[in-house]
Amino acid sequence: MTSYIQTKLEAFKKERENRGRLLISCPDQPGIVAAVSNFLFHYKANIIESSQYSTNPEGGTFFIRIEFECPSLNTLQDELKEEFQPLADQFSMAWTLTCVSELKKLALFVSKEPHCLREILWEWQSGDLMAEIALVVSNHEEARDIVEDLGIPFYYIPASKENRADVEHQQIQLLKEFEVDVIILARYMQILTSTFVSEFPHQIINIHHSFLPAFVGARPYHRAYQRGVKLIGATSHYVTDDLDEGPIIEQDIMRVDHRDHVEDLKKIGRNIERSVLARAVKWHLEDRIIVHDNKTIVF
Amino acid sequence: MTSYIQTKLEAFKKERENRGRLLISCPDQPGIVAAVSNFLFHYKANIIESSQYSTNPEGGTFFIRIEFECPSLNTLQDELKEEFQPLADQFSMAWTLTCVSELKKLALFVSKEPHCLREILWEWQSGDLMAEIALVVSNHEEARDIVEDLGIPFYYIPASKENRADVEHQQIQLLKEFEVDVIILARYMQILTSTFVSEFPHQIINIHHSFLPAFVGARPYHRAYQRGVKLIGATSHYVTDDLDEGPIIEQDIMRVDHRDHVEDLKKIGRNIERSVLARAVKWHLEDRIIVHDNKTIVF
Amino acid sequence: MTSYIQTKLEAFKKERENRGRLLISCPDQPGIVAAVSNFLFHYKANIIESSQYSTNPEGGTFFIRIEFECPSLNTLQDELKEEFQPLADQFSMAWTLTCVSELKKLALFVSKEPHCLREILWEWQSGDLMAEIALVVSNHEEARDIVEDLGIPFYYIPASKENRADVEHQQIQLLKEFEVDVIILARYMQILTSTFVSEFPHQIINIHHSFLPAFVGARPYHRAYQRGVKLIGATSHYVTDDLDEGPIIEQDIMRVDHRDHVEDLKKIGRNIERSVLARAVKWHLEDRIIVHDNKTIVF
Amino acid sequence: MTSYIQTKLEAFKKERENRGRLLISCPDQPGIVAAVSNFLFHYKANIIESSQYSTNPEGGTFFIRIEFECPSLNTLQDELKEEFQPLADQFSMAWTLTCVSELKKLALFVSKEPHCLREILWEWQSGDLMAEIALVVSNHEEARDIVEDLGIPFYYIPASKENRADVEHQQIQLLKEFEVDVIILARYMQILTSTFVSEFPHQIINIHHSFLPAFVGARPYHRAYQRGVKLIGATSHYVTDDLDEGPIIEQDIMRVDHRDHVEDLKKIGRNIERSVLARAVKWHLEDRIIVHDNKTIVF
């Protein structure tokens, strides 16, 4: 299985070796698109996909995501970045240029319930999630087999309120060592301290089992049942210092009715959670998300 | 137009003159269905539709809604009710028996925005809402024309925090006078006092412009925009003393994204609000809703 | 009512007097975006919204829609068009440039069932549909009142298989006279000949009461009932010579179940039809749709 | 893993040892519910859930599904069936009485694509699908590992047009030997002959990768792409002699747009297929489905 996935990933990297993505935020003004597209054209780049948004055409913030095909991108990328800087300065841009063939490195954090982990691994095995899965971290042993079967390192780190600082220290070490780009909390039921969160700004994606801002915090399905809602949902968001208050990436819901008890809500909810998280992760990996003002722009 | 609707309503009443509905709540135990269906069979009633639910088969509460066709229901209904009482006593039932041909009387309360009022009137004109619309009450004059064009009395009663007691007194008088069965708050933006609410328990249906319990209270679309949610919704619920905390009847949502400003959310939301309220009203008119423990069972 | 709508439309035209839209299709190659954005920048235009798509970056067709704000667009627009032509020739572009303040002229064709007509008129009254409604044509008298109440000319032209040629001749005359840009078949149950259709290529929008390609042709709800489907739908599409085979603009569905008879499917379907048609019309009015290969690109 | 699932299944069987289900179809007439509920009450059975439907209260067909809790059901069930027969005869009933603790035996047929198989196995592992999975049959070797890892027998039977009769003979032998109750075609891409189908009436559940009746037959995603639809779907149905024409159990759809190529439609479609099939299988296992006139009643 493992070598099969590796073959798929290598084929993808080969096929996309000239594919780049440019993400830009800057004050809105006329001429931005002209300047950027001239720059790309100068390098014979063909724009494959482009999306833009402005909070307010008169004096707001402008955002653009451009996916392009540029001959010899691999060898040119340092030059491109260097040459782009003056233009970026001129328009006061915050920007990133990524090469699609340099796959992002993922860490998956999981607790006892495996459904979100499984969905991500499944997407990955099917070739629908182009990333390296660097490691899986869990405070339980349950998931070890399905992870190691895929040739992915599994780290069992028991975690509780008492040893939080030690545990996080150990986790951060691991994440640095594996040069992880993004951390997926696939129903990892531990709260992260601000120390941990500040190490990985807008790089930690959580799945919360309610349609936020309803049912912030613990036991959302119990509270949904108590309140008698007719819809339950799930929310994927970037983790910030405020619990369940980070920028929302994706949400979805399903219908429930009076016959559904808490256990039924959990079952139904698992299906929403896994698909919502999978979509959020995919968009992050494709550099489709810009965070602005505690909200996301998803291109 | 008016006579056209009257003709439709009369035809419906004629067609359903033998149609009855029995709603029962009682402690669960074996034999309830047998006892009730024997009773109905004794009167040669044919069960057309039957739905039941038990919170817990061992010692919970049992609910059933039976729609039946009973020859000569009109003349028999008093006898039926009298004869049913001993059986009801035996099982400690709370129950109602309604004749479908006795249409419920509706009052619509509306403020400036007409979309929910319009949807209800539209459904009514199309013959999809079988009720008498007794009157429309508004604290603005805007809706007068579309209401009076349909031959429905329109009462303009300016309302504000200052004159609330007087206004409600006047409204309650009107509602009593018109023998109103159910009050629809079709975006009536005034808060009702507990005096008013206690006069009409589980008879006042509101539409709130968020998927509750998210964004309880004022300006939900503004707060949805601030929070950056990816779904907006609406909730129809019975009004209780706790603002936006009454039993939820129906909810729905639509997708939004970063391009949608507050005004867009309002536009999109109007479509959700009107369809959610229309469904809730229809279910109430068809005696499909039982309130239990601040939740609804919708059969 | 009428003057209220006129005021809204005038305010919109004033507010958007410098707003333009450029729609382009051409063979894909590097440099298109650079050339077009340079052109716009030369006229100090600020790009407000831009969407693009390519069927295949290597040798496919490229499509772009740009909405921009250009100072003095009204006086400049002829010059802009003239100056753009050489650039268009260079890239072999098919293109249109429209001024948002020049509202499109709509004709609504309706038969007996008014729900789609009503939805369009409603959106228009609420200021959610920015267009001039030039006239309504019907082969029945039913809709006259609600149309004339809004100050819109209503033409009753009885139509049948027998007099089709005459009727269409008369209709085409009217549409020319009113300089109509787009024709909405809001459940107009007559088949149009190819003579009529060829006069208005990609300018006639129909609503079909099924999720095409299921149930092409007559009585889709009867056939949906016969087949026992669990979803029913509606499809809005441009009309071509092949009945129900034109480019699809929008589709949606709702759940049904075994309890729903044909009449129930029709009721539920009406709600889908009106919202699907309203979305399609809005997108057309906003120049969001490009037809390519009997499919639509909706930006 | 295997023993974990066995433990769950045993616990379920223990917990539901007195749980029975009665499914009845018969000509509609007053007194059916009374007769049946009296019968059950006589055995001290408590009705847990009951749903009914009549095609037409005057002279139509009546359907009812009753789930009940009956003390000592295991020892009583033969007596119950014997005693029920006279009542069934009186009302001309077609009926079945099943004991919930006697789990149904499932066969899964799969070809190369594993997503539907995986979903079913996953639900089963999670304790959300109460059945015995007797065996998996495939014309490819791909799925062997994930099946045998769960302790389920895997039969590789290469199949093609040429050897269809032999293959089916072999398959039927296996299914008889394992006493299989229901066959799930989890994307088994071979056509079954009427010989095979007639052996298992209303016991074969297929998943078709389109919202039927659109795109009957081969390559539905290619044809959906060609037609330019804005929704794609999947349909689960019982298999009959007419390809893709059997009674529909469940359908669902997802939105797509012009950017989605055939490969994207397949990816999106896989998620619809697996959830639609999983729901259909669950309903079948819970005896919720009655087939009538090539349609399903799903209680």
Side-chain angles (χ1 to χ4, degrees):
Chain A
M1 176 57 81
T2 321
S3 68
Y4 165 77
I5 304 169
Q6 287 311 328
T7 310
K8 273 206 169 178
L9 293 176
E10 289 309 319
F12 174 81
K13 286 161 71 172
K14 186 79 198 147
E15 195 192 344
R16 301 290 163 98
E17 66 181 350
N18 292 324
R19 187 64 65 93
R21 292 178 194 137
L22 193 52
L23 259 79
I24 298 168
S25 316
C26 65
D28 202 356
Q29 68 176 88
I32 306 169
V33 179
V36 174
S37 52
N38 284 337
F39 175 86
L40 288 172
F41 184 48
H42 176 74
Y43 285 93
K44 301 188 175 47
N46 192 14
I47 297 178
I48 303 299
E49 193 184 325
S50 169
S51 312
Q52 60 170 73
Y53 169 68
S54 177
T55 55
N56 180 354
E58 298 166 31
T61 308
F62 174 87
F63 306 91
I64 193 164
R65 177 192 183 271
I66 298 175
E67 189 159 332
F68 59 89
E69 194 76 20
C70 176
S72 313
L73 179 64
N74 261 333
T75 49
L76 272 178
Q77 68 163 305
D78 290 339
E79 182 187 334
L80 240 79
K81 286 174 185 174
E82 207 173 313
E83 295 294 319
F84 191 72
Q85 193 56 53
L87 193 156
D89 291 341
Q90 184 193 336
F91 288 93
S92 309
M93 291 173 175
W95 64 284
T96 56
L97 192 160
T98 53
C99 291
V100 172
S101 63
E102 294 171 5
L103 297 181
K104 287 191 176 52
K105 293 195 185 65
L106 237 84
L108 292 159
F109 278 46
V110 66
S111 205
K112 266 190 171 171
E113 289 206 70
H115 55 286
C116 286
L117 173 70
R118 263 189 176 152
E119 184 79 14
I120 300 287
L121 294 178
W122 177 333
E123 294 271 313
W124 185 66
Q125 286 173 254
S126 312
D128 292 346
L129 206 88
M130 290 305 168
E132 285 181 31
I133 301 188
L135 76 163
V136 172
V137 171
S138 182
N139 55 341
H140 293 276
E141 282 282 15
E142 270 84 350
R144 182 182 291 277
D145 285 1
I146 57 172
V147 170
E148 293 188 342
D149 276 5
L150 292 166
I152 301 166
F154 178 87
Y155 289 87
Y156 167 56
I157 308 179
S160 66
K161 277 182 200 168
E162 288 64 40
N163 63 359
R164 192 159 286 163
D166 282 359
V167 162
E168 288 197 347
H169 180 74
Q170 205 179 332
Q171 290 169 340
I172 293 170
Q173 287 299 104
L174 271 171
L175 296 168
K176 298 283 181 200
E177 192 181 305
F178 278 97
E179 298 180 312
V180 159
D181 297 298
V182 52
I183 299 154
I184 314 300
L185 306 182
R187 295 294 308 270
Y188 179 67
M189 307 301 284
Q190 300 291 314
I191 290 172
L192 303 174
T193 68
S194 61
T195 312
F196 189 101
V197 172
S198 62
E199 288 278 344
F200 307 98
H202 302 159
Q203 290 172 281
I204 312 174
I205 297 177
N206 186 39
I207 179 76
H208 183 75
H209 37 318
S210 80
F211 50 88
L212 291 175
F215 309 123
V216 166
R219 296 166 69 84
Y221 292 128
H222 287 84
R223 288 148 66 208
Y225 176 74
Q226 282 304 325
R227 182 62 187 93
V229 293
K230 301 297 184 186
L231 308 170
I232 58 165
T235 304
S236 187
H237 63 94
Y238 287 114
V239 176
T240 61
D241 258 15
D242 293 319
L243 183 67
D244 301 334
E245 298 287 351
I248 293 171
I249 303 169
E250 172 64 338
Q251 306 188 282
D252 212 345
I253 58 98
M254 285 188 87
R255 289 204 160 266
V256 296
D257 69 25
H258 59 267
R259 284 173 301 227
D260 296 307
H261 287 254
V262 174
E263 285 311 306
D264 303 302
L265 301 190
K266 286 183 182 174
K267 272 186 204 181
I268 295 166
R270 283 200 286 267
N271 283 312
I272 319 174
E273 292 165 33
R274 55 188 173 123
S275 61
V276 165
L277 180 61
R279 286 203 292 275
V281 170
K282 208 176 294 186
W283 295 340
H284 181 95
L285 294 177
E286 294 175 0
D287 301 305
R288 296 195 172 277
I289 314 175
I290 297 179
V291 175
H292 176 69
D293 264 5
N294 205 45
K295 298 199 250 186
T296 62
I297 292 143
V298 180
F299 281 132
Chain B
M1 175 58 82
T2 319
S3 69
Y4 166 77
I5 303 169
Q6 287 312 329
T7 310
K8 273 205 169 179
L9 293 176
E10 289 309 318
F12 174 82
K13 285 160 70 172
K14 185 80 198 146
E15 195 191 345
R16 301 291 162 97
E17 65 180 351
N18 292 325
R19 186 65 63 95
R21 293 180 193 134
L22 193 52
L23 259 78
I24 298 167
S25 316
C26 65
D28 201 358
Q29 68 176 89
I32 305 169
V33 178
V36 174
S37 51
N38 284 337
F39 176 86
L40 289 172
F41 183 51
H42 176 74
Y43 285 93
K44 299 188 177 48
N46 192 12
I47 297 178
I48 302 299
E49 193 184 325
S50 168
S51 313
Q52 59 169 73
Y53 169 69
S54 177
T55 56
N56 180 353
E58 297 165 32
T61 308
F62 174 86
F63 306 91
I64 192 164
R65 176 190 184 274
I66 298 174
E67 187 159 333
F68 59 90
E69 193 77 19
C70 176
S72 313
L73 179 63
N74 261 334
T75 48
L76 273 177
Q77 66 163 303
D78 290 337
E79 182 186 334
L80 240 79
K81 287 175 185 172
E82 207 173 313
E83 295 294 319
F84 191 72
Q85 193 55 53
L87 193 156
D89 292 341
Q90 182 193 337
F91 288 92
S92 309
M93 292 174 176
W95 65 285
T96 56
L97 192 160
T98 53
C99 290
V100 173
S101 63
E102 295 172 4
L103 297 182
K104 289 192 174 52
K105 293 194 188 65
L106 235 83
L108 291 159
F109 277 45
V110 67
S111 203
K112 267 190 171 173
E113 291 206 70
H115 55 284
C116 286
L117 171 70
R118 263 189 176 152
E119 185 78 16
I120 300 287
L121 294 178
W122 177 332
E123 294 271 314
W124 185 66
Q125 286 173 256
S126 312
D128 293 344
L129 207 88
M130 289 305 168
E132 284 181 34
I133 301 188
L135 76 162
V136 173
V137 171
S138 182
N139 56 340
H140 293 276
E141 282 282 14
E142 271 84 351
R144 182 182 291 277
D145 285 1
I146 56 172
V147 170
E148 294 187 341
D149 276 5
L150 292 166
I152 302 165
F154 178 89
Y155 289 87
Y156 167 57
I157 308 179
S160 65
K161 277 181 199 168
E162 287 63 41
N163 63 359
R164 192 159 285 162
D166 282 0
V167 163
E168 289 197 346
H169 181 74
Q170 205 178 332
Q171 290 169 340
I172 292 169
Q173 288 299 104
L174 271 172
L175 296 168
K176 299 280 183 204
E177 191 182 307
F178 279 96
E179 298 179 313
V180 159
D181 296 298
V182 52
I183 300 154
I184 315 299
L185 307 183
R187 295 296 306 270
Y188 179 66
M189 308 299 286
Q190 301 290 314
I191 289 171
L192 304 173
T193 69
S194 62
T195 311
F196 190 103
V197 172
S198 63
E199 288 278 344
F200 306 97
H202 302 159
Q203 289 173 282
I204 313 174
I205 297 177
N206 186 38
I207 179 76
H208 182 75
H209 37 319
S210 80
F211 49 88
L212 290 175
F215 310 121
V216 166
R219 296 166 69 83
Y221 291 129
H222 287 83
R223 288 148 65 206
Y225 176 74
Q226 282 303 326
R227 182 63 188 92
V229 295
K230 301 298 184 185
L231 308 170
I232 59 167
T235 303
S236 187
H237 63 94
Y238 287 114
V239 176
T240 60
D241 257 14
D242 293 318
L243 181 68
D244 301 334
E245 299 287 351
I248 292 172
I249 303 169
E250 171 65 337
Q251 307 187 280
D252 212 344
I253 57 98
M254 286 187 87
R255 289 203 161 266
V256 296
D257 69 26
H258 59 267
R259 284 173 302 225
D260 296 308
H261 287 256
V262 174
E263 286 310 307
D264 303 303
L265 301 189
K266 285 182 182 174
K267 272 185 204 180
I268 295 167
R270 282 199 286 266
N271 283 313
I272 318 174
E273 293 165 32
R274 55 188 173 124
S275 60
V276 165
L277 180 61
R279 286 202 290 275
V281 169
K282 208 175 293 185
W283 295 339
H284 181 96
L285 294 177
E286 294 175 359
D287 300 306
R288 296 195 173 278
I289 313 175
I290 297 178
V291 175
H292 176 69
D293 264 3
N294 206 44
K295 297 199 250 187
T296 62
I297 292 143
V298 180
F299 281 132
Chain C
M1 176 56 81
T2 319
S3 69
Y4 165 76
I5 304 168
Q6 287 311 327
T7 311
K8 272 207 170 178
L9 293 176
E10 289 309 319
F12 175 81
K13 285 160 71 172
K14 186 78 197 147
E15 196 191 344
R16 302 292 163 98
E17 66 181 351
N18 292 323
R19 187 65 64 94
R21 291 178 195 137
L22 193 52
L23 260 80
I24 297 168
S25 316
C26 65
D28 201 357
Q29 69 177 87
I32 306 170
V33 178
V36 174
S37 51
N38 284 339
F39 176 85
L40 289 171
F41 184 48
H42 175 74
Y43 284 94
K44 300 188 176 46
N46 193 14
I47 296 178
I48 302 300
E49 192 184 327
S50 168
S51 313
Q52 59 170 73
Y53 170 68
S54 177
T55 56
N56 180 353
E58 299 166 30
T61 307
F62 174 87
F63 306 90
I64 192 164
R65 175 191 184 273
I66 298 175
E67 189 158 331
F68 59 89
E69 194 77 18
C70 177
S72 314
L73 179 64
N74 261 334
T75 49
L76 273 177
Q77 68 163 303
D78 290 340
E79 184 186 332
L80 241 79
K81 287 176 183 170
E82 207 174 312
E83 295 295 319
F84 191 72
Q85 193 56 54
L87 193 157
D89 292 342
Q90 184 193 333
F91 288 93
S92 310
M93 291 173 175
W95 65 284
T96 56
L97 193 160
T98 53
C99 290
V100 172
S101 63
E102 295 171 3
L103 297 181
K104 289 192 175 52
K105 293 194 185 67
L106 237 84
L108 292 159
F109 278 47
V110 67
S111 203
K112 267 189 171 172
E113 290 205 71
H115 56 284
C116 286
L117 172 71
R118 263 190 175 152
E119 184 78 15
I120 300 287
L121 293 178
W122 177 332
E123 294 271 313
W124 185 67
Q125 287 173 253
S126 313
D128 292 345
L129 206 89
M130 289 304 167
E132 285 181 32
I133 301 188
L135 76 164
V136 172
V137 172
S138 181
N139 55 339
H140 293 276
E141 282 282 14
E142 270 84 350
R144 180 181 293 278
D145 285 0
I146 58 170
V147 170
E148 293 187 343
D149 275 4
L150 291 167
I152 301 166
F154 178 87
Y155 289 87
Y156 167 55
I157 308 178
S160 66
K161 276 183 200 168
E162 287 65 41
N163 64 358
R164 191 159 286 162
D166 282 359
V167 162
E168 289 198 347
H169 180 73
Q170 205 178 332
Q171 290 169 340
I172 293 170
Q173 288 298 105
L174 271 171
L175 296 168
K176 299 283 182 200
E177 191 181 307
F178 279 97
E179 298 180 313
V180 159
D181 296 299
V182 51
I183 299 154
I184 314 299
L185 306 183
R187 296 295 307 268
Y188 180 66
M189 308 301 284
Q190 300 290 315
I191 290 171
L192 303 173
T193 69
S194 61
T195 312
F196 189 102
V197 172
S198 63
E199 288 279 342
F200 306 98
H202 302 158
Q203 289 173 282
I204 313 173
I205 297 177
N206 186 38
I207 180 76
H208 182 76
H209 36 319
S210 80
F211 49 89
L212 291 175
F215 309 121
V216 166
R219 297 166 69 84
Y221 291 128
H222 286 83
R223 288 148 66 208
Y225 176 74
Q226 282 304 325
R227 182 62 187 93
V229 294
K230 301 298 184 185
L231 308 170
I232 58 166
T235 304
S236 187
H237 63 95
Y238 287 114
V239 175
T240 59
D241 257 15
D242 293 317
L243 182 68
D244 300 334
E245 298 287 351
I248 292 171
I249 303 169
E250 172 64 338
Q251 306 188 280
D252 213 344
I253 57 99
M254 285 188 89
R255 289 204 160 267
V256 296
D257 68 26
H258 59 267
R259 284 173 302 227
D260 296 307
H261 286 255
V262 174
E263 285 311 307
D264 303 303
L265 301 190
K266 285 183 182 175
K267 272 187 204 181
I268 295 167
R270 284 200 285 267
N271 283 314
I272 319 173
E273 293 165 32
R274 56 189 174 124
S275 61
V276 165
L277 180 61
R279 286 203 291 275
V281 170
K282 208 176 294 185
W283 295 340
H284 181 95
L285 294 177
E286 294 175 1
D287 302 306
R288 295 196 173 277
I289 314 175
I290 297 178
V291 175
H292 177 68
D293 264 5
N294 206 43
K295 296 199 250 186
T296 62
I297 293 143
V298 180
F299 281 131
Chain D
M1 175 58 81
T2 320
S3 68
Y4 165 77
I5 303 168
Q6 287 312 328
T7 311
K8 273 205 169 180
L9 293 176
E10 290 309 319
F12 175 82
K13 286 160 70 172
K14 186 77 197 149
E15 195 191 344
R16 302 290 162 98
E17 67 181 350
N18 292 325
R19 186 65 64 95
R21 292 181 192 132
L22 193 53
L23 260 78
I24 298 168
S25 315
C26 64
D28 202 358
Q29 68 177 87
I32 306 170
V33 178
V36 174
S37 51
N38 284 336
F39 175 86
L40 289 171
F41 184 50
H42 175 74
Y43 285 93
K44 300 186 175 47
N46 192 12
I47 297 178
I48 303 299
E49 192 185 326
S50 168
S51 313
Q52 60 170 73
Y53 169 68
S54 177
T55 55
N56 180 352
E58 298 165 31
T61 308
F62 174 86
F63 307 90
I64 193 164
R65 175 191 183 274
I66 297 174
E67 188 158 331
F68 58 90
E69 194 75 20
C70 177
S72 314
L73 179 63
N74 260 333
T75 49
L76 272 178
Q77 67 162 305
D78 290 338
E79 183 187 333
L80 241 78
K81 286 175 184 172
E82 207 173 315
E83 295 295 319
F84 191 72
Q85 193 55 53
L87 193 157
D89 292 341
Q90 183 193 336
F91 288 93
S92 310
M93 291 175 175
W95 64 285
T96 56
L97 192 160
T98 54
C99 291
V100 172
S101 63
E102 295 171 4
L103 297 183
K104 289 192 175 51
K105 293 194 186 66
L106 236 83
L108 291 160
F109 278 45
V110 67
S111 203
K112 268 189 169 172
E113 290 205 70
H115 56 284
C116 286
L117 172 69
R118 265 190 175 148
E119 185 78 15
I120 300 287
L121 294 178
W122 177 332
E123 294 270 314
W124 186 67
Q125 286 173 256
S126 312
D128 292 345
L129 206 88
M130 289 304 168
E132 285 181 32
I133 301 188
L135 75 162
V136 173
V137 172
S138 181
N139 55 340
H140 292 277
E141 282 283 12
E142 270 84 351
R144 181 180 293 276
D145 284 1
I146 57 172
V147 170
E148 293 188 341
D149 276 5
L150 292 166
I152 301 165
F154 178 87
Y155 290 85
Y156 167 56
I157 308 178
S160 65
K161 278 183 199 167
E162 286 65 40
N163 63 359
R164 191 159 286 161
D166 282 359
V167 163
E168 289 197 346
H169 181 74
Q170 206 179 332
Q171 290 169 341
I172 293 170
Q173 288 299 104
L174 272 171
L175 296 168
K176 299 281 182 202
E177 191 181 307
F178 279 96
E179 297 180 313
V180 158
D181 297 298
V182 52
I183 299 153
I184 315 298
L185 307 183
R187 295 296 306 269
Y188 180 65
M189 308 299 285
Q190 300 289 316
I191 289 171
L192 303 173
T193 69
S194 61
T195 311
F196 189 103
V197 173
S198 62
E199 287 279 344
F200 306 98
H202 301 160
Q203 289 173 281
I204 312 174
I205 297 177
N206 187 38
I207 179 75
H208 183 75
H209 36 319
S210 79
F211 49 88
L212 290 174
F215 309 121
V216 166
R219 296 165 69 82
Y221 292 128
H222 286 83
R223 287 148 66 207
Y225 176 74
Q226 282 303 327
R227 182 63 188 91
V229 294
K230 301 298 184 185
L231 309 170
I232 59 167
T235 304
S236 186
H237 63 95
Y238 287 113
V239 176
T240 60
D241 257 15
D242 293 318
L243 181 67
D244 301 333
E245 299 287 352
I248 292 172
I249 303 169
E250 171 64 336
Q251 306 187 281
D252 212 343
I253 57 97
M254 286 188 87
R255 288 204 161 267
V256 296
D257 69 26
H258 59 267
R259 284 174 303 228
D260 296 308
H261 287 255
V262 173
E263 286 311 307
D264 303 303
L265 301 189
K266 286 182 182 174
K267 272 186 204 180
I268 294 166
R270 282 198 288 266
N271 283 313
I272 318 173
E273 293 166 32
R274 55 188 175 125
S275 61
V276 165
L277 180 61
R279 286 203 290 274
V281 170
K282 207 175 295 184
W283 296 339
H284 181 95
L285 294 177
E286 294 175 0
D287 301 306
R288 297 195 172 279
I289 313 175
I290 298 179
V291 175
H292 176 68
D293 264 3
N294 206 44
K295 297 199 250 188
T296 63
I297 292 142
V298 180
F299 281 132

